[in-house]
């Protein structure tokens, strides 16, 4: 059994493709020691991917009931993946702090475009390219910096345990221009941003969602050495939307962490974040 935990997952309450109990049964089947649900938190407008405000209580009660039902077989946890939208709608807001959550993931998916409208940048590469051209003055560098600056505002506001897919924009930015992620300004921004993650002592997930198809971890493998140097806390999450994908990429990520000299991952044990040696 190899650090079989996952804290970033979706289910039918948001854009996941099965009922939460189906994910639980699969996690038990694969001998996971703990499994956490992190549906996309409600936003102040409707999307096809986030939990509806009216379903929030039902989500909380459903996961808490599963936690009890399966407590002799697996440690289940209740979380949310919360967008940093503005200085009032973000993980630190009372709405999310007052819920009985075991943990919170802070993520950025939406960035203000040149017209002040929110643009979803977590989209397929072709659509991303089109948005950069039509909504961001065709300025990839400025868009990438705006994305990381927003994540840094989220870190300053706090109120979350895990930073979600820390550099997800790297995949779409690389599709526009493969050289972007090795340019000096990009690497300097990553260093500034990762230094703040280390300072705030939040856990950085190694998100494996795109690994099987695209070969990308978020954060990128190129930064694992920096993560070690800065002493950032890490864990491996699959960001699964399908039960059969809950363990995708885990072994590769754990091997890569080990190769980079990172020796432990942070797991929940009886509700407490605990460093555990990578096996
Ligand atoms: Zn996300
Ligand atoms: Zn997610």
């Amino acid at each position: 059994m190899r650090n079989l935990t996952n804290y970033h997952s979706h289910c039918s309450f948001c854009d996941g493709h099965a009922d939460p109990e189906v994910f639980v049964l699969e996690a038990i089947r694969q001998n996971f020691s703990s499994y956490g649900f992190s549906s996309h938190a409600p936003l102040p407008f409707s999307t096809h991917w986030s939990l509806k405000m009216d379903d929030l209580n039902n989500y909380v009660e459903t996961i808490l009931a599963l936690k009890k039902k399966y407590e002799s077989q697996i440690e289940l946890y209740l979380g949310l993946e919360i967008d940093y939208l503005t200085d009032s709608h973000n993980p630190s807001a009372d709405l999310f702090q007052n819920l009985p959550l075991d943990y919170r993931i802070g993520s950025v998916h939406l960035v203000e475009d040149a017209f002040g409208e929110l643009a979803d940048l977590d989209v397929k590469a072709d659509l991303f390219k089109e948005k950069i051209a039509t909504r961001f003055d065709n300025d990839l560098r400025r868009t990438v910096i705006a994305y990381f600056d927003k994540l840094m505002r989220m870190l300053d506001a706090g109120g979350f345990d895990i930073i979600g897919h820390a550099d997800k924009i790297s995949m779409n930015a690389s599709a526009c221009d493969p050289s972007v992620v090795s340019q000096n300004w990009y690497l300097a921004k990553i260093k500034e941003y990762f230094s703040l993650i280390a300072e705030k002592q939040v856990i950085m997930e190694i998100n494996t969602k795109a690994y099987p198809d695209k070969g990308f971890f978020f954060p990128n493998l190129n930064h694992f050495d920096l993560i070690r140097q800065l002493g950032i806390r890490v864990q491996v999450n699959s960001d699964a939307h399908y039960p059969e994908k809950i363990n995708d990429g885990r072994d590769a990520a754990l091997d890569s962490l080990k190769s980079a000299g990172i020796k432990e991952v942070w797991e929940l044990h009886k509700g407490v974040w605990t460093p555990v040696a990578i096996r």
Side-chain angles (χ1 to χ4, degrees):
M1 197 154 96
R2 204 180 177 202
N3 307 96
L4 281 169
T5 66
N6 181 37
Y7 305 105
H8 190 156
S9 77
H10 299 278
C11 64
S12 50
F13 276 100
C14 55
D15 56 348
H17 295 269
D19 289 341
E21 191 159 14
V22 181
F23 286 89
V24 173
L25 293 171
E26 181 60 19
I28 292 170
R29 193 187 70 79
Q30 294 201 38
N31 285 318
F32 275 57
S33 58
S34 60
Y35 191 86
F37 288 93
S38 62
S39 273
H40 289 288
L43 293 162
F45 43 82
S46 83
T47 72
H48 68 275
W49 47 271
S50 56
L51 194 56
K52 309 222 172 350
M53 195 66 82
D54 288 347
D55 288 339
L56 185 56
N57 283 341
N58 189 14
Y59 169 70
V60 168
E61 281 160 22
T62 302
I63 306 303
L64 291 179
L66 288 171
K67 197 169 163 168
K68 202 156 186 58
K69 181 173 176 184
Y70 291 100
E71 68 186 349
S72 65
Q73 294 173 75
I74 188 169
E75 289 191 30
L76 294 176
Y77 291 103
L78 170 64
L80 275 177
E81 180 180 12
I82 308 167
D83 267 74
Y84 183 93
L85 267 195
T86 61
D87 59 8
S88 57
H89 187 104
N90 64 57
S92 72
D94 287 348
L95 168 66
F96 303 122
Q97 291 298 314
N98 292 337
L99 292 171
L101 301 174
D102 294 308
Y103 66 91
R104 293 161 189 82
I105 300 177
S107 293
V108 167
H109 304 95
L110 306 161
V111 175
E112 287 76 12
D113 68 10
F115 309 99
E117 301 284 326
L118 285 168
D120 188 351
L121 295 180
D122 195 359
V123 291
K124 293 217 159 50
D126 286 348
L127 184 53
F128 178 87
K129 277 184 205 172
E130 189 188 311
K131 286 185 184 185
I132 296 294
T134 58
R135 298 179 61 180
F136 289 90
D137 298 330
N138 215 15
D139 194 333
L140 183 60
R141 174 174 169 166
R142 212 171 68 203
T143 310
V144 167
I145 287 181
Y147 171 82
F148 288 131
D149 282 343
K150 195 163 185 179
L151 283 154
M152 290 177 68
R153 288 200 295 282
M154 181 173 84
L155 284 158
D156 281 329
F160 62 97
D161 308 71
I162 302 161
I163 188 148
H165 41 64
D167 65 350
K168 195 156 188 190
I169 203 168
S170 64
M171 189 167 71
N172 277 338
S174 302
C176 293
D177 175 358
S179 77
V180 161
V181 293
S182 47
Q183 289 175 15
N184 287 338
W185 64 266
Y186 184 90
L187 296 172
K189 194 72 202 174
I190 287 283
K191 193 161 187 190
E192 183 193 358
Y193 165 45
F194 282 22
S195 299
L196 186 60
I197 294 172
E199 185 194 316
K200 300 292 182 186
Q201 297 197 344
V202 299
I203 298 167
M204 180 189 255
E205 68 167 355
I206 308 301
N207 182 303
T208 61
K209 184 172 177 227
Y211 187 75
D213 293 339
K214 308 259 168 53
F216 273 84
F217 294 128
F218 309 116
N220 196 283
L221 183 59
N222 297 342
H223 308 311
F224 282 22
D225 198 47
L226 177 64
I227 292 169
R228 181 190 50 76
Q229 284 171 35
L230 292 170
I232 294 174
R233 299 171 176 188
V234 297
Q235 68 185 198
V236 177
N237 289 328
S238 61
D239 197 354
H241 289 63
Y242 296 86
E244 62 272 25
K245 296 190 173 197
I246 60 171
N247 203 22
D248 275 14
R250 174 170 315 277
D251 273 337
L254 290 168
D255 287 343
S256 300
L257 286 169
K258 263 186 143 169
S259 303
I262 296 168
K263 297 189 169 64
E264 57 195 26
V265 283
W266 287 71
E267 301 180 358
L268 275 172
H269 287 270
K270 299 192 190 334
V272 180
W273 288 117
T274 310
V276 176
I278 297 175
R279 287 185 273 272

